[in-house]
Amino acid sequence: MFYREAGDFKTSYASDNQTFPIKIDRRGYYVALAFAFCVVPFVINDYWANAIFLPFLIYSIAAIGLNILVGYCGQVSLGTGGFMAVGAYACYKLMTAFPEVNIFFHVILSGGITAFVCVLFGLPSLRIKGFYLAVATLAAQFFLVWLFNRVPWFYNYSASGQINAPERTVFSIPVTGPNTEAWATYLFCLVFLVLSALIARNMTRGMAGRKWMAIRDMDIAAEIIGVNPMKAKMTAFGASGFFIGISGALFFALYLGAVEVGEAFGINKSFLVLFMIIIGGLGSIFGSFAGAAFLVLLPVVLKVVGVDMLGWPTDIVAHLQLVIVGGLIVLFLILEPHGLAQLWRVTKQKLRLWPFPH
């Protein structure tokens, strides 16, 4: 009986259209934010940061970006890994060329550069869609990885072909390099995730989001009622590329520290982020968080249960992870195409009616 809208009166259009219409949802959101900002930094250590928190934060940003393109606009993309590489290499070039500029601005500029590249590779979407667009973005993935491997300028003519993040500070606190603290990198990524989620949520609820969804549902009908397909698709590619570029820059500078493009941003990375939004839920910001959390926590849980507790060989556990992810993708596509986000919505709806059956 506690999960109710009764007594929660709406006295303005803004309150009627807010993201969390039920008071307990709003309170839960604020409690989660307060816990993330005020509690986790004091208890986090290197293991928790590198195994769970940093991958979750960074992959959530990438999943939000891909969800805008695939879930909201209906444009299939298999080039996420390549676009993350653009963000990583753009951040590296900016960090080495302008060492006096704060890394916060380097990450944002990396997102802007990636958005421009993403729009360029999104131009074929004006003439093709579906499977053919997926192949075009897959070609972008292979081309970008080849480009960063073959052109020495991108890795500053390093003999190893790797890029290494130089040490940078925010308010005199190192956030990149070998001397970073776990709480500093965690807070830096958390700020970007919160800002990205707020921006994406407002974009998808506004005019741009309605245009994207109209193109996704039926592009011909959307054009008839006045939606410009070129503008809608290009803004979707640009917004998606911006968030994916930010995630790539954070993945390189704060998480890995050193990157070889073929290993860090290969085709597996593109499929990983795609699986996140399929399992989490297409067309849902919450689904991006849920899918990222699931695929980040799954290997950790399997290692603890399978290897540490049951004593299984590590190769069996690794293959079991692939089986579980593949099976869940098939099940979600058949039984619940909207993923974990829809299951959460159904659960909340049941709570709003409980204990009554209808």
Side-chain angles (χ1 to χ4, degrees):
M1 300 292 289
F2 62 91
Y3 193 71
R4 289 288 185 272
E5 293 182 70
D8 194 2
F9 301 109
K10 311 296 190 301
T11 57
S12 64
Y13 286 113
S15 61
D16 191 43
N17 291 315
Q18 57 192 333
T19 300
F20 302 105
I22 301 178
K23 189 176 295 183
I24 191 172
D25 284 339
R26 293 195 296 273
R27 290 174 178 172
Y29 169 74
Y30 294 134
V31 168
L33 274 183
F35 183 82
F37 276 101
C38 302
V39 177
V40 175
F42 294 100
V43 298
I44 195 173
N45 56 32
D46 288 335
Y47 171 77
W48 285 99
N50 293 322
I52 295 176
F53 284 105
L54 289 185
F56 166 69
L57 297 174
I58 294 170
Y59 283 132
S60 293
I61 300 175
I64 288 172
L66 186 61
N67 220 337
I68 287 177
L69 186 61
V70 179
Y72 284 98
C73 196
Q75 308 302 301
V76 183
S77 173
L78 296 176
T80 309
F83 297 132
M84 287 181 70
V86 174
Y89 277 79
C91 185
Y92 172 69
K93 295 298 292 185
L94 291 170
M95 290 173 73
T96 53
F98 306 100
E100 69 281 356
V101 179
N102 193 292
I103 187 176
F104 185 85
F105 300 105
H106 287 155
V107 174
I108 294 177
L109 287 173
S110 301
I113 294 171
T114 310
F116 175 74
V117 174
C118 202
V119 167
L120 289 181
F121 283 103
L123 289 174
S125 68
L126 302 178
R127 301 298 297 271
I128 58 178
K129 58 184 177 180
F131 172 77
Y132 301 99
L133 180 60
V135 173
T137 55
L138 186 63
Q141 162 74 38
F142 291 119
F143 171 76
L144 290 170
V145 170
W146 173 87
L147 182 70
F148 294 131
N149 261 328
R150 295 297 181 180
V151 180
W153 179 82
F154 287 110
Y155 48 86
N156 285 351
Y157 304 95
S158 169
S160 64
Q162 281 190 340
I163 56 174
N164 298 278
E167 183 172 307
R168 294 292 181 267
T169 61
V170 176
F171 300 116
S172 301
I173 300 172
V175 293
T176 64
N179 301 316
T180 57
E181 298 286 344
W183 65 269
T185 55
Y186 164 78
L187 280 178
F188 192 81
C189 292
L190 181 62
V191 168
F192 273 101
L193 175 60
V194 172
L195 292 176
S196 299
L198 288 174
I199 293 171
R201 179 63 178 164
N202 282 282
M203 289 181 70
T204 54
R205 282 160 50 91
M207 184 180 294
R210 289 192 289 271
K211 290 179 179 179
W212 295 339
M213 288 182 276
I215 291 293
R216 174 196 66 191
D217 294 337
M218 187 173 291
D219 52 353
I220 297 176
E223 187 173 7
I224 290 173
I225 63 174
V227 176
N228 187 333
M230 182 185 75
K231 185 177 179 181
K233 291 180 180 181
M234 292 302 100
T235 54
F237 271 97
S240 173
F242 179 75
F243 293 122
I244 292 173
I246 287 177
S247 68
L250 295 175
F251 192 73
F252 151 67
L254 277 80
Y255 181 56
L256 294 180
V259 160
E260 197 283 316
V261 64
E263 296 179 1
F265 300 110
I267 186 63
N268 290 336
K269 192 70 66 183
S270 298
F271 283 117
L272 177 64
V273 181
L274 182 63
F275 295 161
M276 286 177 182
I277 65 171
I278 291 175
I279 293 176
L282 293 170
S284 168
I285 301 298
F286 172 78
S288 304
F289 286 93
F294 181 84
L295 286 184
V296 167
L297 288 173
L298 180 63
V300 179
V301 172
L302 286 178
K303 179 183 179 300
V304 171
V305 175
V307 178
D308 298 339
M309 296 177 61
L310 300 178
W312 292 351
T314 54
D315 57 341
I316 298 241
V317 173
H319 286 91
L320 181 62
Q321 175 188 342
L322 298 176
V323 172
I324 292 174
V325 172
L328 285 174
I329 289 173
V330 173
L331 285 176
F332 275 115
L333 288 176
I334 295 174
L335 301 177
E336 187 49 82
H338 296 289
L340 294 172
Q342 179 62 17
L343 296 179
W344 176 242
R345 282 192 289 265
V346 170
T347 303
K348 291 200 300 180
Q349 187 64 30
K350 295 293 184 183
L351 284 174
R352 291 167 75 178
L353 296 175
W354 184 85
F356 307 108
H358 303 291

